[in-house]
Amino acid sequence: MKNLEFKFEDFTASDFINNAIENKVSVVETTKYFLERCKNDKKNALLEVFEKDALKRAEELSHKTIRGKLFGLPVIIKDNILYKGHISSAASKMLEDFISPYNSTVVQKLLDEDAIILGRSNMDEFAMGTTGSNSAFGITKNGTDDNLVSGGSSSGSASALASGLCLAALGTDTGGSVRLPAAWNKLVGFKPTYGSISRYGLIAFASSIEQCGIFTKNVTDLSLLYSVLSGKDENDASSVCYVHDTHKMLCPTPKIGRIKEITYPKEYQPFLKDTVEISIPNLSLSLAGYYTVATAEAASNLDRFDGVKYGSTVKDAESVGDLYTNVRTKYFGTEVKRRIITGNYNLSNENYDIYKMGTAVIRDLKKTFEKVFQNVDAILLPTASIPPVKLHEDMTDPLKLYNMDLYTVTANVTGIPSVTLPVLPTGLQILAARGNDYLLFNIARRFEK
Ligand code: GLN
């Protein structure tokens, strides 16, 4: 088949799949095409290309007559999503050689629908970061501009899609790690309702707020991938099957809110016409609630990396205590250590009130949002608080970086779905009530036009 007359990287996922299903393009040829692009990755977006595997799969798929919903789709996954038999390192020296013993549910679902996983993408170590600069394997360049960072923590997935190495990508979003790099790479990025996509087989950072998220070029592709990945999973006790009521999904005249307490940059004004004013006085507390709970859960989740149970180890320890100390000192990066120390501090006997305050703030926010969503169907916010950071800018001040998450963390701590659209350098974020993911897509489509 004469595939090479096409520039496949310009396809949307949905168009590509239709062509592949109808044999208008050959999956073997297109897989080779994207693998070539992946091997020439100039952005440090990928940590590994699964060349042999992807090709073998493409060969097998090409003989199938009944074809899945994602037939032949070239996908990149973030390096904290387990793919059986492949390394998942969470971009950490701690897991540099860790081979996944099983498939995460999201990977299994991709494979069941005939997608092809081309490689694993760079990220901030253990998904802790906002610019991508915390990877143990170097920073990722923005997929649209070499002078800019890609944004984190799912830096590689965003850059890979934006630079045409794949047609869709998965990330994880604990506090904005899909939406922020999506905005900075001019992509659509999505964090689903908490529980609607299984977390089974993700390397955990902060379990009560994180979700697998999706990068695509448009909302139609997003909706397709979400329909494949979402659903109750008996391997994840926090997963929920949302029954999407058709009335809510369609909602002919959605009421959209803008938040009284924040100043929307002037570029957002055109999007704010016809919106109604709502009040969320505690919005800015999201950040404090997020960093309290995220660090506490990180400290406890990362406890398992001790040189015995999982991950890298050292040979020169004289006692068990020594072993733990040496391993964790040697293989964790600075930001990961900072979060473990902060988290354990907040959870300690003397300071436990900090943790309690964090959870109280989050409880209040959830209540506020529940009330607000009785009056509006969606809320508009910027995604990133600033345009993409320059590649060589100093990115060592943690508070400066934490503040960049101002607009994204709210959706995580309250568990609501949120999508970012590539309409401004900082993205346009739309949030909806818990379980209204499809309504959110339908509202997003209007703004996309
Ligand atoms: N920037 C946030 C943090 O560093 C978000 C991380 C994420 O979503 N994984 O915690």
Side-chain angles (χ1 to χ4, degrees):
M1 221 160 294
K2 294 179 254 72
N3 274 345
L4 294 172
E5 62 210 55
F6 291 114
K7 281 182 88 189
F8 292 109
E9 67 276 24
D10 293 339
F11 276 59
T12 65
S14 313
D15 282 345
F16 178 87
I17 295 164
N18 291 338
N19 278 293
I21 289 181
E22 290 170 19
N23 268 332
K24 289 187 184 146
V25 298
S26 132
V27 276
V28 175
E29 292 307 316
T30 51
T31 302
K32 283 186 188 158
Y33 179 95
F34 279 104
L35 282 170
E36 261 334 287
R37 292 184 68 84
C38 288
K39 287 195 292 181
N40 283 313
D41 162 31
K42 302 264 177 351
K43 308 279 186 182
N44 201 23
L46 304 183
L47 296 178
E48 189 181 349
V49 182
F50 304 140
E51 186 176 12
K52 249 175 70 192
D53 243 57
L55 265 181
K56 186 166 160 251
R57 230 182 113 64
E59 290 282 356
E60 285 164 9
L61 289 181
S62 66
H63 302 296
K64 280 184 80 168
T65 44
I66 297 172
R67 300 179 161 185
K69 279 169 93 172
L70 303 180
F71 185 75
L73 182 70
V75 180
I76 295 289
I77 57 171
K78 189 176 180 178
D79 193 30
N80 58 352
I81 301 176
L82 303 200
Y83 182 12
K84 188 175 177 178
H86 301 77
I87 290 178
S88 300
S89 79
S92 178
K93 294 275 179 199
M94 185 62 91
L95 290 173
E96 196 167 3
D97 306 311
F98 174 74
I99 297 179
S100 303
Y102 60 90
N103 279 335
S104 53
T105 298
V106 285
V107 159
Q108 192 57 52
K109 289 189 172 204
L110 288 178
L111 298 177
D112 289 347
E113 292 296 341
D114 297 343
I116 297 178
I117 300 173
L118 300 180
R120 58 185 172 98
S121 61
N122 203 355
M123 57 185 278
D124 283 299
E125 184 178 8
F126 284 102
M128 298 171 192
T130 308
T131 58
S133 53
N134 295 334
S135 167
F137 306 107
I139 196 164
T140 309
K141 289 181 183 167
N142 191 291
T144 69
D145 183 339
D146 278 349
N147 299 310
L148 304 174
V149 304
S150 179
S153 68
S154 311
S155 55
S157 290
S159 181
L161 178 58
S163 62
L165 310 186
C166 58
L167 295 180
L170 297 190
T172 55
D173 191 311
T174 311
S177 281
V178 167
R179 287 161 290 151
L180 183 118
W184 283 358
N185 281 277
K186 305 190 173 107
L187 298 168
V188 171
F190 174 61
K191 198 285 289 180
T193 294
Y194 183 77
S196 67
I197 296 185
S198 169
R199 284 182 298 109
Y200 178 68
L202 306 189
I203 297 175
F205 158 19
S207 315
S208 76
I209 49 180
E210 80 196 350
Q211 280 284 285
C212 175
I214 304 166
F215 292 94
T216 54
K217 293 180 189 169
N218 63 28
V219 180
T220 302
D221 288 356
L222 168 61
S223 181
L224 171 68
L225 272 123
Y226 178 73
S227 74
V228 168
L229 299 174
S230 57
K232 171 83 186 151
D233 177 13
E234 35 175 69
N235 286 321
D236 174 1
S238 64
S239 86
V240 184
C241 181
Y242 284 93
V243 181
H244 296 281
D245 105 39
T246 332
H247 174 69
K248 276 223 185 106
M249 279 163 71
L250 296 176
C251 187
T253 46
K255 231 167 123 185
I256 295 174
R258 62 176 192 281
I259 303 175
K260 191 171 130 196
E261 289 82 8
I262 76 158
T263 327
Y264 291 81
K266 65 176 187 318
E267 296 77 25
Y268 286 85
Q269 292 313 320
F271 300 100
L272 296 177
K273 69 174 186 340
D274 302 329
T275 56
V276 297
E277 196 169 68
I278 52 172
S279 175
I280 306 183
N282 45 350
L283 185 80
S284 61
L285 288 175
S286 302
L287 209 52
Y290 170 77
Y291 274 98
T292 310
V293 166
T295 51
E297 292 189 23
S300 109
N301 271 326
L302 270 59
D303 185 61
R304 70 193 67 164
F305 303 107
D306 57 9
V308 181
K309 299 189 201 74
Y310 292 89
S312 306
T313 193
V314 294
K315 293 213 169 78
D316 55 350
E318 281 175 11
S319 64
V320 177
D322 252 16
L323 175 71
Y324 293 171
T325 310
N326 296 354
V327 165
R328 290 164 76 83
T329 306
K330 184 166 174 196
Y331 296 111
F332 279 143
T334 310
E335 182 58 25
V336 173
K337 285 177 187 155
R338 182 180 292 122
R339 302 230 182 167
I340 292 174
I341 292 168
T342 315
N344 281 325
Y345 179 88
N346 294 344
L347 289 174
S348 65
N349 213 359
E350 306 81 45
N351 304 302
Y352 193 63
D353 279 347
I354 301 179
Y355 178 73
K356 283 210 306 221
M357 268 185 318
T359 51
V361 160
I362 290 177
R363 256 197 316 278
D364 281 348
L365 274 163
K366 281 185 178 162
K367 280 192 203 138
T368 312
F369 272 84
E370 262 164 37
K371 261 207 209 127
V372 163
F373 281 122
Q374 288 171 359
N375 296 317
V376 294
D377 300 296
I379 301 170
L380 297 185
L381 273 178
T383 306
S385 51
I386 54 166
V389 173
K390 301 250 171 8
L391 196 64
H392 299 294
E393 222 165 275
D394 176 32
M395 281 169 270
T396 49
D397 177 354
L399 288 181
K400 211 166 127 192
L401 292 169
Y402 297 170
N403 276 321
M404 290 182 196
D405 302 331
L406 181 64
Y407 297 124
T408 48
V409 293
T410 310
N412 301 82
V413 295
T414 56
I416 64 177
S418 163
V419 68
T420 177
L421 298 178
V423 290
L424 291 166
T426 43
L428 174 70
Q429 196 186 182
I430 315 173
L431 304 93
R434 185 180 282 253
N436 279 353
D437 303 58
Y438 283 108
L439 166 67
L440 182 61
F441 300 156
N442 283 327
I443 294 174
R445 277 201 189 94
R446 295 161 197 241
F447 285 95
E448 205 172 29
K449 279 180 204 141

